Amino acid sequence: MCDADNTTTKKTIRVATGDRAILPEGAKTIPVYIMGKKYEVPETLTIMKAMEYAGFKFLRGAGCRGGICGACPTVYRMAGDYKLHFGLACQTVVEADMYLAQIPFFPANRAEYNIEEIGGAAEAIHALYPELFRCVACNLCTKACPMDVDVLGYISALKQGNIKKAAELSFDCIQCGLCASRCMGEIPQYHIAQLARRVYGRYIQPRAEHLQKRVGEIESGKYDAMLQELSAMSKEDLEKCYVEREREPDLAPPGTWQPKETRYL
Amino acid sequence: MKISYYPGCTLKTKAANLEAAAVASLAVLGVEVEEIDRWNCCGAVFSLTADDLIHQVGPVRNLVRAKEKGADQLVTLCSMCYNTLARANRIVRDDTVKRDTINRFMDDEIDYAGEVEVVHMLTFLAREVGWQKIREAVKVPLTGLRVSPYYGCTLQRPADVGIEPFGSFSLMTGLLEALGATVVPFAAADTCCGSYQVLNGEGGAKSTAAVIINDAAQAGAEALATSCPLCEYNLGKRQEQLITSGQVEAPVPTFYFTQLLAVALGVAPESCLFDLNDAASLALLKNKNCLVAA
Amino acid sequence: MTLIITGTTISIPSIKQLEELSGENVKLCMQCATCTGMCPMAAEMDHSPRMVMHLSQFGMLDRLAGSNTYWKCASCHACTVKCPRGIDIAKVMEALRQRVLRKNTNFIEPSALSAERIAELPQIAMVAAFRKLTS
Ligand code: SF4
Ligand code: SF4
Ligand code: FES
């Protein structure tokens, strides 16, 4: 992100850049405050597009633009109210009199570890992040989470040594860091949750046997011929093959459908 | 009978023996245990500064969970949880200004005004089950087992949340007697085990623990009964070190009171998770024929 | 310890701050030393609880700046329940800790704990110690 004034002087036409927002005809504009300065932006835009419309350019603090990478956390407050709100800039539509602050990065503690060495006990997580025990259950983290994750819930689960519960509760976390920015205990909740999911995946979750079997088959060369056959095809044949491929009917009850071609099962 | 129950973090890991034995015993006594949902850490220690309310939020949030369940009692096992929850409850009950501030801060929860009573398991057993019923339910009397009831700090102090008056140990005494054990009173029954000072240099917590263990041994006890995982850590898990360093002469195995209750009620020793105690504990019970025949 | 009290050693604002934080009236103390007698940690302390109360009564908190007393306090309330003047001394100790902790200073460092230590400690030991000894 760089300052609006630098970019607007070079560009005379004020249109949203980057994702080429198309403004509906006669769109109403509303005032929003970016770093305390007032801008008039079309009311239909997301915070991210509105900031681009206002002339800001995202060099950092934007990634997927689809609400999943966690790069664009935003804190905002509506004029006249004390309450802080939290959202993703790429997902949240602007409202009149929003005061916006981008928190693209928060300096949360991130432990270094080798997942193969630390083992699957809760104490491994406790040892890497003892600050976990500083949680005061204020719940500001949960209130801040733009993904509706029960952050206090997974922190509590980890204090109780329940890695599975923490992994499940934190599944929707996109590592935006807003929880950590609010934490009374200076806890890097999202990094701890990521570690919990890794420990869960590595040590606790049962292995998927069919996956291992399939990987074995691939490694043994079972599909090499098929791949060669496909790579040798002309574009037209490939397209035909694709269009005519067998597909499981959308609503087939699980386990009932079998393709006619069974050579590669 | 059904009770709402607050476990506390340590009871899910290192003090799982405290909980497992309690749940098994209550089942024998016909009490169903319902753990409250979505509970969080109580904070373990009560905040003592007059203007600090943020540290009361954690315990109060748990009381909100109990209220949401429609419970009028919340039973706890861990002394520290009991103390922290009960004291936070006192604040909310007695101080309307602080109550309002806490409720306003917790705008994500229903309002709480102290509707739930925090009850320690010992109180619950005495009040709602009764020593008589327990005495009748005993299958393996702990005859000849000389136990000192150890309360530590948090069951009795301060007076307004104490499960019984300072200097009196009648609840655990009543329970142990009902189980057939010989109760050995001792002077250090309410001396602090050193508590969290175990993280602040080695000296303090170790010497207070040694005083307690030696005092019990001199009084003639061969075991200590406690209800606090931190006491158990300072007195039990670290006892071997104290013996090695010469601060403690003879071992005095530590038990949770719920474990003694469970074995007396005929619960299988495996269900009491003695592997989480020091090794001498189970050996002592075997020696004294206090275990149900396999 | 002889305490020389003059107009410059006494600090009214410090007394006030301590009373506000603790909610206790330190001037009620009559120096009977029951607190010291009850305290299980007294042997480890630079200043006995009674001395802490004495210095607090005059707001001479500078003298307590390097003292380990309030850090060694286990908040066990053994002193409190026996104080003939009804002072909750444990609250005064907490106030002395908070004067330091509220300035973003830790007394112990959670990150300095070894993995082995953390693996054996019950959670409540860490929760309690971090509450009482970290900022
Ligand atoms: S848990 Fe924290 S990092 Fe994850 S999405 Fe929610 S606020 Fe962002
Ligand atoms: S913000 Fe921090 S202290 Fe507050 S509940 Fe969440 S993890 Fe705990
Ligand atoms: S840019 Fe990826 S979540 Fe917003």
Side-chain angles (χ1 to χ4, degrees), chain A residues 134-142 151-152 155 179 182-187 189:
Chain A
R134 285 171 39 85
C135 169
V136 302
C138 66
N139 204 36
L140 293 184
C141 47
T142 309
V151 187
L152 170 57
I155 289 295
C179 47
R182 297 288 290 156
C183 182
M184 188 52 229
E186 294 150 301
I187 301 167
Q189 296 93 330

Side-chain angles (χ1 to χ4, degrees), chain A residues 107-113 128-129 131 175 188 190-191 194 198:
Chain A
N109 177 31
R110 188 159 168 217
E112 272 182 38
Y113 52 84
L128 285 163
Y129 293 106
E131 60 268 43
Q175 310 288 119
Y190 58 124
H191 292 320
Q194 186 177 55
R198 286 176 175 161

Side-chain angles (χ1 to χ4, degrees), chain A residues 82-83 122-123 126 135-140 143 150 152 156 159-162 165 184, chain B residues 8-10 12-14 38-41 54-55 57-58 61 104-109:
Chain A
Y82 73 92
K83 195 144 191 69
E123 284 77 5
H126 297 167
C135 169
V136 302
C138 66
N139 204 36
L140 293 184
K143 288 191 194 172
D150 180 2
L152 170 57
S156 296
K159 273 176 116 170
Q160 298 156 20
N162 194 337
K165 187 172 174 193
M184 188 52 229
Chain B
C9 307
T10 315
K12 294 297 173 187
T13 58
K14 303 199 161 57
R38 292 171 54 226
W39 54 274
N40 50 260
C41 170
I54 193 68
H55 291 96
V57 165
R61 204 180 288 286
R104 235 177 290 125
F105 176 79
M106 294 207 294
D107 57 2
D108 45 345
E109 306 285 5

Side-chain angles (χ1 to χ4, degrees), chain B residues 114-223:
Chain B
E115 293 89 340
V116 178
E117 188 196 358
V118 182
V119 181
H120 189 268
M121 183 63 74
L122 283 167
T123 310
F124 173 80
L125 289 173
R127 198 167 72 184
E128 322 239 338
V129 182
W131 303 145
Q132 186 53 35
K133 186 172 170 197
I134 293 177
R135 196 172 293 121
E136 285 158 14
V138 167
K139 295 230 172 56
V140 189
L142 307 182
T143 318
L145 186 70
R146 296 193 310 277
V147 193
S148 280
Y150 174 69
Y151 275 39
C153 323
T154 43
L155 286 181
Q156 281 178 314
R157 297 193 288 265
D160 59 359
V161 296
I163 62 169
E164 60 184 303
F166 192 57
S168 151
F169 308 95
S170 70
L171 289 173
M172 218 187 292
T173 302
L175 174 69
L176 293 169
E177 279 173 357
L179 304 179
T182 308
V183 176
V184 183
F186 73 127
D190 53 16
T191 301
C192 175
C193 69
S195 186
Y196 57 82
Q197 287 296 337
V198 67
L199 273 92
N200 180 21
E202 284 292 309
K206 265 197 176 161
S207 50
T208 55
V211 167
I212 295 161
I213 299 164
N214 290 333
D215 189 33
Q218 266 156 31
E222 51 194 350

